[in-house]
Amino acid sequence: MRQAEPIRVLLVEDSEDDALLLERRLRAAFPLAALRRVDSAERMRAALAEGPWDVVISDHVMPGFDSEAALALLRESGSDAPFILYSGCLDEGRGALAMRVGASDWIAKHDPARIVPVIERELRNVRLRREKERVEREARELASYDTLTRLPNRSLFCQQAQLRLDAIEAERSGAALLYIDLDRFMRINETLGYAAGDAVMRQIAVRLRAGAPAGSLVARLGQDEFAILAAVADGAREPRRIAERLARRFAEPIVVNDQEFYVTLSVGVSLYPEHGSDCATLLKNAESAVHFVKRLGGNGHRVYQAELQAASCESLRLENELRHAIVRRQLHLVYQPIYDIAAQRVVAAEALLRWRHPEMGLVPPDRFIPVADDTGQIHAIGAWVLEQACAEARAWGERYGRPIAVAVNFSATQFRHQHFAARVLGILRASGLSPHLLEMEITEGTAMHDAEAAAEVLGAFKRAGVRVAIDDFGTGYSSLSYLRRLPIDILKIDKSFMRDVPHDADNLAIVRTILALGHAMKLECHAEGVETPAQLELLRAERCARAQGFLLGRPVEARAFAELLAAEDGAPAAGGAPLVLAGAAG
């Protein structure tokens, strides 16, 4: 032991002379030692309250007090300091008995030379024991707590939650479990790195703790998932208020390194005991409610209902079956003709994904695309779609001696991936299709979500020669100042605005406004959902460049689309009656 190390020694001794002799010996060995003498239970209790003490040295017998009572007081205080008997009236048998009941060692006063080695030995043992306890405590924390946020992890949450639920059951009261999923959090890690993501995550944990009701149990369940167990007394109303209060806390940006991050929450709620009597069931049902919120776009909350569980089971089945869809050749593409209004001919095709399952039949895209997005399978599926579409477009061009472009839709999940542009351009180069014959379509909402980042990504495609289309234009909340900065080529008018045109005055005004905007920005305008000759004539009069819809051609298999191109050899020249392909549906 280092002799200069300061230690605190409590002497339990009624003899001033014996205490003085012992103090001199101790100060010679431990110059920085702080010593205090007590000789009664009251004084020892007061000294222990001032603690902690590194070692206690006690006489065996004192007037009205003895070493057994002193040892009891020491342990009652919670101290694990070594307790050494130092007495002139102890024989070996009594000393051994004292050690069996908790003393560290015993020393006869006629052998004072032993006191310093014993103290050094016991202090070493204490340090080793405390270090071992520290390591074991940290190991338990690693197994039970999230290292980043210091919140309980899933395992500890379930243990503590079940204890609370058992207590609530005895009190005949209620509780709510809120399952919280951060919306699109991974894009922070993917774009700015994990250091920034970790800093944001720590602040998220702080806000969740602050926003949870007093006495709630808050935990981090996974990468971007949290849970809150709160006692409630009024059914679903109070959990809804908790979710709304949490949403308000996240209305303000999280600032890391002078950069603002906006985070939204999808919250699923299950109630005890209505939706489950144990933590595992409540978690499962709250997670089902979260999946429903996610399918609606996130940033909201939902209380569990039994039908949500059925929807969750269907989603899980779709997820599992979708993983094998490409290998089992269940996915295929259909192509809807895109019509050049002035030239009266097909100039492009929109590639649309279909899934034909041997048991479920034809699965609609609006059922499986959200599942692919949520599970990340959209990246592999999207790559397959792009490879197939580019190969078909190249084959059409070679077969018919004229360029046929292909339009491919990309989801927000794909677009926000860190290596999105590199992957798409790599597939395009491998296909041999000329870049200007690929039209990448993203929705208005995807482009406007982060206009600065979107401009950078779209700029890479523009420089490579790929044409960019904003799909479903008019359905979002675009800022024109941002829109004009995006390197886009085509505005696609959403089909909802073509409904009942030209008879619906409101929709007609919207279509004309979008066309005027497109012309002013020198963009190619494209109308979807064209179903009547009157609509086509209106678009021709308003100088809309392209159109697609059931009037001009339904989505068909690649072979049928090739037949449409072949049939155009007999189409009328420009200025004649418009070519209508609706009868070619497949």
Side-chain angles (χ1 to χ4, degrees), residues 332-340 345-352 388-400 402-407 433 437 439 526 546-549 552-569 579 581-586:
H332 68 282
L333 296 181
V334 294
Y335 300 87
Q336 184 165 33
I338 296 174
Y339 184 65
D340 185 304
R345 69 187 315 193
V346 175
V347 293
E350 181 174 3
L352 301 170
Q388 299 297 310
C390 289
E392 290 290 356
R394 180 182 177 186
W396 294 329
E398 293 174 349
R399 187 179 309 158
Y400 298 104
R402 63 185 177 97
I404 300 295
V406 64
L433 181 68
L437 295 179
E439 297 175 5
H526 177 131
R546 306 193 312 179
Q548 71 183 95
L552 304 168
R554 294 176 182 268
V556 295
E557 304 282 347
R559 180 176 298 178
F561 184 82
E563 293 172 357
L564 295 180
L565 296 178
E568 282 197 329
D569 290 340
L579 174 63
L581 304 175

Side-chain angles (χ1 to χ4, degrees), residues 52-129:
W53 297 93
D54 294 303
V55 63
V56 176
I57 303 173
S58 175
D59 194 2
H60 179 48
V61 178
M62 295 161 283
F65 196 39
D66 61 19
S67 61
E68 184 176 344
L71 178 58
L73 284 178
L74 178 66
R75 298 307 178 222
E76 287 173 9
S77 73
S79 173
D80 65 345
F83 185 88
I84 301 172
L85 278 173
Y86 186 64
S87 175
C89 60
L90 269 181
D91 58 25
E92 188 171 342
R94 290 182 178 179
L97 178 62
M99 292 179 66
R100 282 199 295 272
V101 298
S104 302
D105 206 340
W106 68 278
I107 300 171
K109 286 186 177 180
H110 64 264
D111 188 17
R114 287 192 62 225
I115 191 70
V116 170
V118 168
I119 291 176
E120 291 178 337
R121 182 196 69 205
E122 291 304 318
L123 290 178
R124 283 195 300 271
N125 290 340
V126 166
R127 282 196 295 271
L128 290 173
R129 183 175 70 250

Side-chain angles (χ1 to χ4, degrees), residues 210-223:
S216 297
L217 179 60
V218 184
R220 186 184 183 193
L221 304 182
Q223 174 64 27

